Amino acid sequence: MRVLHVRHIQDSLSDDYDGLINLSDYDGKPENQRRPAFLSRALAARAVQRFTGFSLEEAAKTVVDGFQDNGIDALAIDEENRRIVLVQSKWDGSGKSGLSQADALKIRNGCSDLFNMRFDRFSPQLQERKTQISEALSDAAVTFIIVVATTGKSTLPEEADRVFADFLEEVNENDPVVSLEVLGLREFHSMVVEGTAGPSIEITVPIEQWGTVDLPYQAYYGLVQASEISTWYENHGDRLFSQNLRKSLGNTDVNEGLTNTLLTQGENFWYFNNGITALCESVKKTPRGGATHSYGDFSISGVSVVNGAQTVASIHRAAKKDPKALENARVWVRFISLEGCPPDFAIDVTRATNTQNSVESRDFVALDPQQERIRRDMLLSLRKQYSVKRGENPPAETDGCTVEDALVALACAYNNPYYSVMAKSTVGRLSENTLRAPYVNLFNGGTTAYRVWRCVQVMRSVEIDLANRRLHLADRDFAIATHGNRIILQLVFNQLSLNKVDDPNYDWNIELARVHELTARVLSSLTASVEEAYPSNYLAPLFKNTTKCRDLVARVEKRLSSLS
């Protein structure tokens, strides 16, 4: 049966990818070499399709397999979901073999080199995409899926599994940004039968305090444990959102806020969250729970979450960090059955539930009297515009700034790595509560318009300077100048005369003129400190780790003082 299933997969790959997979490096070579290369590369492209929804042509273009591929056979950038999919494929005609420890180590080393932007260690096909890949890697919110794609076993041998477990523990020490998926003979054959989206999702859901709507269309609603929802995503991933307008958006400020609420106030999550809406082919109540509405088990087929994808993904992220935090968390869920509904009803529900106006933390910031005072003072004293309310057109950089600009600049000027790390990775947390820290430490009665505008000027000057320097940097040096920009900004602020930032009579251009030299000194010292203390660390999570950033700030300041 294995050999038959392998043949089905082979035929499917040939039908779909013939003429699309680049085999120019095999020109002139015999068919017994070209054919396995084609199948292995087509398998990698198929894996990309599974996790991105790319077309055949798009998936084929992600293949980077070749001489010195460094363990990565396909690399796909899913811009919509801020995610990079990395595939290592192994074609096995017998359907029996699995991934060896050597293969696992090769993938691990390749991923490590990629995370640290060591592009010279990869195939020419990958190096041709260096600019695009660098931009994606520079996104602090980007996440990764490492996919092992094989027509052999769907489980990893113990030795290979240990390699990946150690690697994931290392790169996910501060935030679960990298995940591993194994697609074997069973999964690839399922794609042949069911398509790349996989089979219809079937779940059994315990619902508390449940209710029902029978007319005009059937729906059930109630409370579902957050831990139960986490298993949905664990088992099915983004396939849960097959009919949604978008998938999980990764580490956005909103998602970070949801995750933080689950971890700190799980018992209140139901009060703070809008819940989840799912469409399904059918909903059936099982006998468990009897006639009472306090609890019931429901068998649900053909499930697709059409609103609440960010809630689902954030719950899963929280579970990865601390499963116990979800024990008391409940989520409001609606299951709408499409049985007997008009043909376009699913589309109407999806559109309606995703076009309601949402309230963001910026909307609450706009209610803070301090913001209105700063806006007025900036206009009267500096002739600059200060945009606070969402929907306002942001001013040109020469004419003013936004409250988001001010949040980041003031956070980095506060001289606390904890605030600088938030400004880099979870800027929304700086303003999620306008009645307590960190917000009140940044915006209070002592926050002058001069402080806001001048700190924003420094931030912009540092960003411009770093952007110019990155044009001449490569590999880890480039990554440090990218991911470490907020810590660099904090360290530059520390070298300026911030005691004069509120003085309207002080010529702030004197300080701005120092930014170029200070940024160079800080960047050089930070690069040396990173290579000294954390030479093997993946740099994106490094600069989201408060403990390590605090250590780096101390090391850099020690270096700078020794140079004075």
Side-chain angles (χ1 to χ4, degrees):
M1 187 62 73
R2 287 193 185 97
V3 175
L4 180 61
H5 284 183
V6 170
R7 184 54 184 265
H8 292 163
I9 296 169
Q10 178 177 309
D11 291 344
S12 175
L13 295 177
S14 297
D15 291 343
D16 287 345
Y17 288 105
D18 186 35
L20 297 179
I21 298 297
N22 184 359
L23 291 172
S24 59
D25 53 332
Y26 278 81
D27 286 348
K29 294 185 178 181
E31 185 63 19
N32 64 356
Q33 293 182 28
R34 289 175 58 87
R35 186 61 177 168
F38 166 80
L39 291 171
S40 181
R41 293 177 183 184
L43 195 71
R46 182 74 86 206
V48 166
Q49 280 194 287
R50 178 63 178 266
F51 291 99
T52 63
F54 281 12
S55 68
L56 293 171
E57 292 78 7
E58 291 170 330
K61 290 178 181 178
T62 70
V63 175
V64 294
D65 177 43
F67 182 65
Q68 291 185 332
D69 60 36
N70 206 358
I72 297 177
D73 295 328
L75 187 153
I77 299 174
D78 184 356
E79 295 181 354
E80 178 185 357
N81 298 300
R82 304 170 82 177
R83 183 166 59 193
I84 297 177
V85 179
L86 307 170
V87 183
Q88 165 64 239
S89 62
K90 292 290 180 183
W91 178 263
D92 170 36
S94 71
K96 296 179 180 179
S97 67
L99 198 75
S100 69
Q101 183 181 38
D103 290 330
L105 287 169
K106 187 177 181 181
I107 301 170
R108 172 187 177 137
N109 293 338
C111 290
S112 180
D113 287 338
L114 182 75
F115 294 165
N116 289 299
M117 299 187 182
R118 299 188 178 108
F119 293 106
D120 61 313
R121 301 184 181 186
F122 290 94
S123 67
Q125 294 92 325
L126 188 144
Q127 292 187 46
E128 288 175 1
R129 300 169 58 195
K130 177 179 176 179
T131 301
Q132 179 193 24
I133 295 170
S134 295
E135 291 176 356
L137 290 171
S138 299
D139 182 355
V142 74
T143 59
F144 302 85
I145 301 177
I146 300 173
V147 183
V148 175
T150 174
T151 49
K153 298 177 181 178
S154 300
T155 57
L156 296 174
E158 184 178 351
E159 297 82 1
D161 188 59
R162 189 179 302 118
V163 170
F164 284 117
D166 291 345
F167 181 59
L168 293 177
E169 182 178 3
E170 175 188 332
V171 296
N172 291 332
E173 60 174 341
N174 189 59
D175 205 20
V177 296
V178 183
S179 61
L180 174 70
E181 298 285 347
V182 181
L183 301 179
L185 178 63
R186 182 178 64 249
E187 288 76 21
F188 280 109
H189 191 262
S190 174
M191 289 183 224
V192 174
V193 176
E194 304 284 352
T196 56
S200 173
I201 295 176
E202 312 279 338
I203 59 175
T204 299
V205 184
I207 304 179
E208 302 171 17
Q209 306 300 321
W210 64 272
T212 181
V213 174
D214 295 319
L215 295 173
Y217 312 115
Q218 186 183 55
Y220 289 87
Y221 57 87
L223 306 181
V224 178
Q225 285 190 329
S227 56
E228 180 75 21
I229 293 170
S230 176
T231 63
W232 300 352
Y233 195 80
E234 183 75 23
N235 294 334
H236 306 290
D238 281 351
R239 288 181 55 234
L240 277 170
F241 318 128
S242 61
Q243 296 186 47
N244 202 350
L245 297 178
R246 58 188 181 185
K247 301 177 183 178
S248 162
L249 298 182
N251 301 347
T252 65
D253 293 337
V254 172
N255 289 357
E256 288 289 349
L258 289 172
T259 301
N260 185 61
T261 299
L262 282 160
L263 293 173
T264 58
Q265 303 182 66
E267 68 280 4
N268 293 329
F269 189 75
W270 179 85
Y271 298 97
F272 299 159
N273 183 260
N274 291 331
I276 296 166
T277 299
L279 299 178
C280 44
E281 295 171 4
S282 67
V283 183
K284 306 295 182 185
K285 186 182 180 305
T286 70
R288 190 178 177 191
T292 175
H293 281 245
S294 61
Y295 174 88
D297 265 2
F298 293 82
S299 179
I300 305 175
S301 64
V303 178
S304 178
V305 172
V306 296
N307 185 257
Q310 314 319 314
T311 295
V312 174
S314 298
I315 289 171
H316 183 251
R317 285 170 58 81
K320 289 290 187 182
K321 291 184 177 182
D322 182 9
K324 292 185 177 179
L326 272 62
E327 290 179 353
N328 297 318
R330 301 292 188 274
V331 184
W332 179 260
V333 181
R334 295 190 301 165
F335 293 101
I336 301 174
S337 173
L338 295 177
E339 288 185 304
C341 293
D344 294 334
F345 186 69
I347 296 174
D348 292 340
V349 172
T350 302
R351 181 184 296 113
T353 55
N354 282 281
T355 54
Q356 307 300 316
N357 291 329
S358 61
V359 178
E360 299 179 0
S361 60
R362 179 175 178 178
D363 298 316
F364 295 103
V365 168
L367 300 178
D368 179 15
Q370 300 296 344
Q371 296 295 338
E372 174 58 24
R373 175 185 60 79
I374 293 170
R375 186 197 66 77
R376 184 181 63 251
D377 291 350
M378 191 175 289
L379 183 63
L380 295 176
S381 302
L382 294 162
R383 298 294 188 268
K384 300 295 180 184
Q385 300 174 33
Y386 182 55
S387 174
V388 180
K389 293 183 178 180
R390 189 157 58 104
E392 294 178 336
N393 291 325
E397 289 194 353
T398 54
D399 297 334
C401 63
T402 67
V403 68
E404 285 95 342
D405 297 328
L407 272 167
V408 173
L410 294 176
C412 293
Y414 196 72
N415 194 22
N416 184 334
Y418 176 61
Y419 283 21
S420 298
V421 167
M422 275 197 285
K424 178 64 180 179
S425 58
T426 55
V427 66
R429 291 182 58 192
L430 292 169
S431 60
E432 66 182 358
N433 191 324
T434 59
L435 300 179
R436 63 186 185 195
Y439 179 84
V440 295
N441 289 336
L442 306 180
F443 292 104
N444 51 61
T447 306
T448 67
Y450 283 93
R451 174 178 291 270
V452 171
W453 176 239
R454 288 170 170 178
C455 285
V456 168
Q457 284 183 297
V458 173
M459 178 182 73
R460 289 173 174 171
S461 296
V462 170
E463 283 299 318
I464 291 171
D465 198 81
L466 286 176
N468 290 332
R469 293 181 189 280
R470 285 195 290 266
L471 296 174
H472 308 286
L473 297 174
D475 301 341
R476 281 176 68 83
D477 291 347
F478 178 94
I480 291 170
T482 300
H483 296 298
N485 63 334
R486 297 311 181 206
I487 289 298
I488 292 170
L489 178 57
Q490 177 189 334
L491 289 161
V492 169
F493 271 125
N494 290 350
Q495 305 298 308
L496 297 174
S497 300
L498 279 182
N499 59 318
K500 299 178 181 179
V501 73
D502 297 312
D503 183 356
N505 297 316
Y506 180 68
D507 184 2
W508 191 248
N509 287 324
I510 296 174
E511 302 303 317
L512 292 177
R514 300 176 58 202
V515 166
H516 176 72
E517 177 191 355
L518 290 175
T519 302
R521 292 175 58 197
V522 166
L523 178 58
S524 176
S525 295
L526 180 61
T527 301
S529 297
V530 168
E531 296 309 315
E532 172 187 76
Y534 309 103
S536 61
N537 275 57
Y538 168 37
L539 296 171
L542 173 65
F543 288 106
K544 293 191 283 186
N545 185 307
T546 302
T547 301
K548 291 183 178 180
C549 283
R550 199 178 301 279
D551 174 55
L552 285 172
V553 167
R555 288 174 182 269
V556 171
E557 289 183 333
K558 184 177 180 180
R559 286 177 182 273
L560 292 176
S561 63
S562 67
L563 297 174
S564 301

